[in-house]
Amino acid sequence: MVMNSVHRLLVPLAMAGLLLLSLAYWWLDNVPHEIFGVAVFVLIAWHITLNRSWFANLFRGRYNGRRMFTVLLHMLLIANMAVLLVTSVFISKSLLAFLPLPDSTLLREIHWFSAYWVMVVVGIHLGLHWTRVMMLLRLISGRPSGSATRTWLLRTAALALAGFGTWSFWVLGVWGKLTFTYSLDFWDFTASVAPFFGYWAGVIALPAIITHYLMVIVDLQRSRRGPAPRRL
Ligand code: HEM
Ligand code: HEM
């Protein structure tokens, strides 16, 4: 049981790490970028296989607002990842360069554009499953429930992280990247490396925190109105 929980968390953790590494194109250079990118897709295939029962149950049971939102978000995530995967195959300069496929500036632009959106959508995906992540962490640590003090400490940490995430959006000019505004203002990796990853982690954390607390509010309101909803 504990090993299964570790496995369920290690794959997302590795995917998050590799996604962050893949963003550092101008630090890594092309070959490592492509290797890490391919590793992300391999792990995603593994992650989907682990969660295959979720897909098998799509047409079973009733849909409420939360379930509808989760399914739509997963569709968006799959579409977003598919665009990143297809453009990767076309623009590859190393690993898949032997494939006789046309490369173009537009495909490269769609590649980075979808990559930046993936970070936001993955953040929302993490936020939707945060309760489950905490549950798995409690199972691993052998502490079934948290104290009220710990809950408030975690809420304060989440608030501070959300503030840092907002600042990271601004530092990295993420809004410009999400609105297809190409900028030559790249991160200067000769000056520093670690803050680049710290800020991007903050960017992923912001939508995760917002989604998690919105879901907490929705669930609270629903449980006040009637029996607690079944978790997806
Ligand atoms: C195309 C990409 C992805 C798809 C289709 C996908 C799909 C899913 C599904 C169906 C679940 C189970 C939902 C449930 O049982 O309620 C899940 C859980 C989860 N996903 Fe993803 N996911 C993707 C990418 C990612 C990435 C990149 C990360 C992390 C960076 C991630 C982190 C998680 C976590 C933490 C959970 C909860 C733990 C678990 O149940 O295993 N996912 N994902
Ligand atoms: C999920 C993983 C991936 C992410 C998040 C990602 C992200 C990015 C980003 C943000 C850039 C733009 C760098 C910039 O101009 O600012 C880039 C460029 C590039 N990526 Fe990826 N990528 C991923 C996977 C891949 C894969 C699997 C391949 C090929 C097999 C690939 C091939 C390339 C190439 C060739 C470029 C350079 C394009 C150019 O010359 O402008 N990427 N990637």
Side-chain angles (χ1 to χ4, degrees), residues 8-9 11-13 15-17 19 40 44 47-48 50-55 70 74 77-78 81 118 122 125-126 129-130 132-133 136 231-232:
R8 286 203 82 95
L9 283 184
V11 177
L13 196 70
M15 285 192 289
L19 270 176
V40 171
I44 284 176
H47 178 66
I48 292 177
L50 277 180
N51 289 299
R52 60 188 175 280
S53 60
W54 185 88
F55 293 93
T70 308
H74 280 169
L77 181 56
I78 291 169
M81 286 290 185
V118 156
V122 162
H125 176 60
L126 280 173
H129 295 100
W130 199 246
R132 194 167 149 71
V133 171
L136 291 172
R231 285 217 175 272
L232 277 176

Side-chain angles (χ1 to χ4, degrees), residues 134-155:
M134 295 306 280
M135 197 188 80
L136 291 172
L137 281 174
R138 279 195 209 112
L139 250 167
I140 295 165
S141 67
R143 291 174 156 189
S145 61
S147 66
T149 322
R150 213 179 68 166
T151 306
W152 277 105
L153 273 177
L154 284 174
R155 282 182 190 158

Side-chain angles (χ1 to χ4, degrees), residues 18-26 30 33-41 44 81 84-85 87-97 103-105 107-109 111-116 118-119 177 182-183 186 200:
L18 286 166
L19 270 176
L20 289 181
L21 272 173
S22 304
L23 284 181
Y25 185 86
W26 299 109
N30 195 67
H33 172 81
E34 294 198 5
I35 292 173
F36 290 136
V38 169
V40 171
F41 289 114
I44 284 176
M81 286 290 185
L84 192 58
L85 176 64
T87 53
S88 299
V89 174
F90 274 84
I91 69 170
S92 171
K93 292 176 188 166
S94 313
L95 301 189
L96 307 168
D103 180 5
S104 76
T105 310
L107 283 171
R108 285 188 227 157
E109 284 182 341
H111 182 75
W112 63 252
F113 180 63
S114 56
Y116 293 127
V118 156
M119 302 303 147
K177 297 178 198 301
Y182 192 73
S183 154
F186 294 117
W200 272 110

